[in-house]
Structure formats: C-alpha cells, structure tokens
Amino acid sequence: DWRPVAARVRAPVLVLASARDTLDRQVAAVWGAAAPDARVMPLDGAPQFPWLDASDAWAAAADAFLAGRWPHLAQRVAPEPARLARGAP
C-alpha cells in the first residue's frame, strides 16, 4: 500500500488526469487525496493520454507547476476515508 508513503511527501504534487476518462479521474483523486500538498487538474480533450492528447494544456500546467505556481484549474481533493481504506477508486 503506497498511501502511507504518499502521506509523508512534503513537496507539492500535481496530478494531471484526463477529464474524459472516469477511471483516470478516480485514480487521480486517490493520488491527490493521499499526498498532503497535492492538487488534481483534469485536462479537457484528453481521452486517455493527457500528455499526448492535450499536450498544450499538459505542458502549460507542467510549466506553471515547475515555476512554483499551481495551475489555475488545479484543485485540492479531500480524502474520502472509505475510498482510501479500500485502496481503490
């Protein structure tokens, strides 16, 4: 189970996920909820591979994050105990 390790990460974490893929959004929410300073940003127009299908949006979000800013659509995800306890989306 990787979540206790993610809970100890003290660096900012940006999770970029497809806005159109339900499983991708659910997995991104689990990652975003596990790390204390994480944000999740869904990418429109990315059916499966955001870094390929929405490369301009992906690159802009990554550039902002690496420059020390949160992309404006990145949001915190509140932990959901039931979801986190079972380790699944």
Side-chain angles (χ1 to χ4, degrees):
D1 185 3
W2 54 268
R3 289 164 300 180
V5 174
R8 293 193 307 264
V9 172
R10 296 296 171 234
V13 174
L14 177 62
V15 181
L16 298 171
S18 169
R20 294 173 51 188
D21 184 335
T22 303
L23 181 60
D24 198 30
R25 288 194 324 261
Q26 292 171 341
V27 171
V30 172
W31 273 96
D37 190 16
R39 306 265 191 318
V40 174
M41 182 176 160
L43 294 170
D44 290 329
Q48 190 169 18
F49 304 108
W51 59 95
L52 295 174
D53 301 324
S55 59
D56 290 343
W58 189 94
D63 284 346
F65 179 72
L66 294 173
R69 300 181 314 272
W70 290 111
H72 73 281
L73 295 176
Q75 300 177 350
R76 286 192 183 272
V77 176
E80 294 181 31
R83 178 192 307 160
L84 295 175
R86 69 177 183 266

